[in-house]
């Protein structure tokens, strides 16, 4: 037994000194001193000893335990110190090395234009509202007085999610008119910017995803004059005072009367140039007086209330303002292009 203890003393101290991590050290403690450890195994043989030998061996065993514990403790301290030193070396920062340049991005040019428009409308007391891009056909079409046979409902034009054509990606922000009328108290003054989707091939002026800004006012005594005055003001804020607009009759199922608004080309002043494709005018938006059927469908009495609405394309506006000639540049997100703005 004495020899066994001597053997354990030598092998354990050697192993502890060679140990390289706290985890390993803990494993050694279990190996030598644990309940199923080597020292316990030796002590199990105590029963075989005579009454005189037993206290002597017991004392030796206690001594051995204390030695191994002492060695473990010492190694633990050493390892802790070594680890700290290694950490200090590894994590040392050479303050003389040149730094890594952090590049700061900036807002996308189209969102600059959107922010500008938001500011203008906020200044006139409008709320900015957000709504779902995945929409019910009922809101995108039906409640907007767009009949079942209308070509814009066609599967070739609209992204549907379901065979029954009840759920779709909104093709316009106009369903936000319905959401606003159904959920807000009167009077209502909102703009609702957001993404819309149509099955268009990508080219210089088309994209299957683009952005619109919907605007709507519902109150007592609202007329077409309010629509024109508001839009003229907005255009002058964006393109400068004195910018000339023109309202042409048009047709939308959810407004009556309906119109399209053009601005006189800010580049050539109406003479005709590449920017306005020789027309002298640039089409900016569709608008009109909210159809009485749409109002009553949302529980608003058309005899008491009236309102106007407009919808405009944000990309086109940004392209005009920044003289961007190809729509794809707006979405490609090539920083070499975006950095210019
Ligand atoms: N939603 C129409 C479009 O996408 C634009 C519009 C909005 C027209 C509001 C009238 C009123 O073309």
């Amino acid at each position: 037994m004495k020899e066994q203890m001597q053997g354990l003393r030598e092998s354990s101290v050697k192993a502890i000194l060679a140990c390289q991590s706290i985890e390993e050290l803990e494993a050694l403690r279990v190996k030598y001193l644990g309940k199923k450890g080597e020292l316990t195994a030796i002590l199990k043989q105590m029963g075989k000893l005579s009454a005189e030998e037993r206290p002597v061996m017991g004392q030796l065993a206690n001594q051995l335990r204390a030695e191994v514990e002492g060695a473990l403790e010492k190694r633990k301290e050493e390892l802790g110190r070594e680890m700290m030193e290694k950490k200090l070396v590894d994590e040392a920062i050479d303050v003389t090395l040149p730094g890594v340049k952090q590049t700061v991005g900036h807002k996308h040019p189209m969102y600059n234009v959107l922010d500008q428009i938001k500011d203008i409308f906020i200044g006139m007391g409008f709320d900015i509202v957000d709504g779902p891009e995945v929409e019910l056909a009922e809101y995108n079409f039906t409640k907007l007085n767009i009949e079942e046979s209308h070509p814009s409902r066609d599967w070739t034009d609209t992204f549907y999610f379901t065979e029954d054509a009840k759920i779709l990606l909104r093709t316009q922000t106009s369903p936000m008119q319905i959401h606003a009328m159904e959920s807000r108290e009167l009077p209502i003054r909102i703009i609702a910017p957001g993404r819309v989707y149509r099955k268009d091939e990508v080219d210089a002026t088309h994209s299957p995803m683009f952005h619109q800004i919907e605007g709507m006012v519902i109150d007592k005594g609202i007329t077409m004059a309010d629509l024109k005055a508001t839009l003229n003001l907005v255009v002058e804020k964006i393109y400068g005072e004195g910018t000339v607009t023109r309202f042409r009759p048009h047709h939308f199922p959810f407004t009556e009367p309906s119109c399209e608004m053009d601005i006189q080309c800010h580049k050539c002043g109406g003479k005709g140039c590449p920017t306005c494709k020789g027309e002298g005018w640039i089409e900016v938006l569709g608008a009109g007086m909210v159809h009485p059927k749409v109002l009553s469908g949302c529980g608003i009495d058309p005899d008491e209330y009236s309102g106007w609405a407009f919808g405009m394309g944000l990309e086109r506006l940004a392209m005009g303002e920044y003289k961007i000639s190809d729509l794809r540049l707006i979405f490609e997100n090539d920083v070499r292009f975006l950095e210019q703005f």
Side-chain angles (χ1 to χ4, degrees):
M1 233 176 131
K2 233 181 179 164
E3 290 81 64
Q4 278 181 326
M5 281 203 253
Q6 186 54 30
L8 178 56
R9 170 178 289 118
E10 280 167 19
S11 62
S12 65
V13 170
K14 208 164 139 197
I16 289 167
L17 283 176
C19 172
Q20 286 306 322
S21 73
I22 302 284
E23 294 79 42
E24 257 180 74
L25 205 59
E26 174 59 17
L28 288 179
R29 195 187 61 75
V30 175
K31 179 169 185 255
Y32 298 126
L33 306 180
K35 260 191 209 146
K36 291 178 184 155
E38 291 182 19
L39 183 61
T40 315
I42 296 171
L43 293 177
K44 282 206 176 121
Q45 304 162 32
M46 288 279 255
K48 292 186 208 147
L49 299 175
S50 66
E52 297 83 60
E53 278 176 314
R54 230 175 272 164
V56 182
M57 279 306 168
Q59 207 182 349
L60 279 176
N62 283 341
Q63 226 175 346
L64 176 56
R65 174 181 291 278
E67 269 176 55
V68 176
E69 273 172 356
L72 283 167
E73 196 51 43
K74 195 164 157 242
R75 186 69 192 134
K76 195 173 168 186
E77 270 170 37
E78 278 172 11
L79 278 174
R81 213 173 316 122
E82 279 170 26
M83 269 161 56
M84 177 58 85
E85 271 161 24
K86 185 170 179 315
K87 206 171 164 200
L88 285 174
V89 172
D90 286 353
E91 292 177 8
I93 297 169
D94 183 349
V95 291
T96 64
L97 281 174
V100 181
K101 192 177 169 202
Q102 299 289 328
T103 48
V104 180
H106 64 77
K107 207 172 282 165
H108 190 286
M110 193 174 71
Y111 280 81
N112 287 336
V113 175
L114 177 57
D115 282 352
Q116 192 187 353
I117 290 169
K118 280 185 186 172
D119 279 348
I120 295 169
F121 277 99
I122 288 170
M124 295 191 292
F126 284 63
D127 284 345
I128 317 273
V129 299
D130 204 8
E133 289 171 28
V134 175
E135 187 55 278
L136 296 174
E138 201 185 335
Y139 282 77
N140 195 81
F141 296 127
T142 315
K143 285 174 179 255
L144 286 163
N145 194 32
I146 300 174
E147 56 191 35
E148 289 299 330
S149 59
H150 195 277
S152 67
R153 287 195 184 236
D154 209 284
W155 280 77
T156 53
D157 291 334
T158 300
F159 292 103
Y160 287 100
F161 286 98
T162 49
E163 283 298 327
D164 61 7
K166 283 193 170 150
I167 304 172
L168 46 75
L169 283 173
R170 66 178 179 189
T171 62
Q172 50 182 353
T173 43
S174 297
M176 289 308 293
Q177 292 182 31
I178 308 296
H179 287 300
M181 286 189 269
E182 287 184 347
S183 65
R184 298 191 150 238
E185 288 196 15
L186 294 163
I188 299 169
R189 279 182 191 76
I190 54 137
I191 63 164
R195 293 187 186 89
V196 300
Y197 303 83
R198 291 179 195 176
K199 282 191 179 168
D200 281 327
E201 295 289 341
V202 175
D203 66 24
T205 52
H206 291 88
S207 160
M209 185 281 292
F210 57 102
H211 295 71
Q212 284 190 335
I213 304 173
E214 196 78 9
M216 186 181 73
V217 168
I218 311 279
D219 203 348
K220 287 179 180 161
I222 297 290
T223 71
M224 198 88 179
D226 299 299
L227 169 68
K228 289 179 78 173
T230 308
L231 291 178
N232 280 336
L233 202 97
V234 173
V235 162
E236 287 201 318
K237 292 231 179 187
I238 300 174
Y239 293 101
E241 236 165 271
T243 305
V244 181
T245 57
R246 135 179 123 170
F247 292 79
R248 284 177 289 104
H250 201 75
H251 172 78
F252 297 107
F254 39 94
T255 47
E256 182 59 34
S258 303
C259 62
E260 277 190 330
M261 185 185 82
D262 301 332
I263 56 164
Q264 199 166 55
C265 181
H266 46 89
K267 192 88 180 280
C268 64
K271 286 196 232 21
C273 71
T275 301
C276 57
K277 298 195 191 84
E279 298 280 328
W281 296 90
I282 301 167
E283 184 194 315
V284 217
L285 55 82
M289 299 304 292
V290 179
H291 200 292
K293 263 183 160 174
V294 175
L295 286 172
S296 52
C298 295
I300 297 171
D301 181 358
D303 292 327
E304 202 183 343
Y305 284 93
S306 56
W308 55 252
F310 72 82
M312 64 180 160
L314 182 55
E315 284 80 3
R316 176 146 1 139
L317 215 64
M319 286 168 77
E321 194 160 331
Y322 289 114
K323 316 267 180 303
I324 298 168
S325 57
D326 194 313
L327 176 63
R328 286 166 286 201
L329 290 166
I330 293 192
F331 299 123
E332 274 166 4
N333 285 338
D334 184 332
V335 285
R336 290 169 301 178
F337 167 75
L338 296 175
E339 266 169 3
Q340 303 173 81
F341 303 100

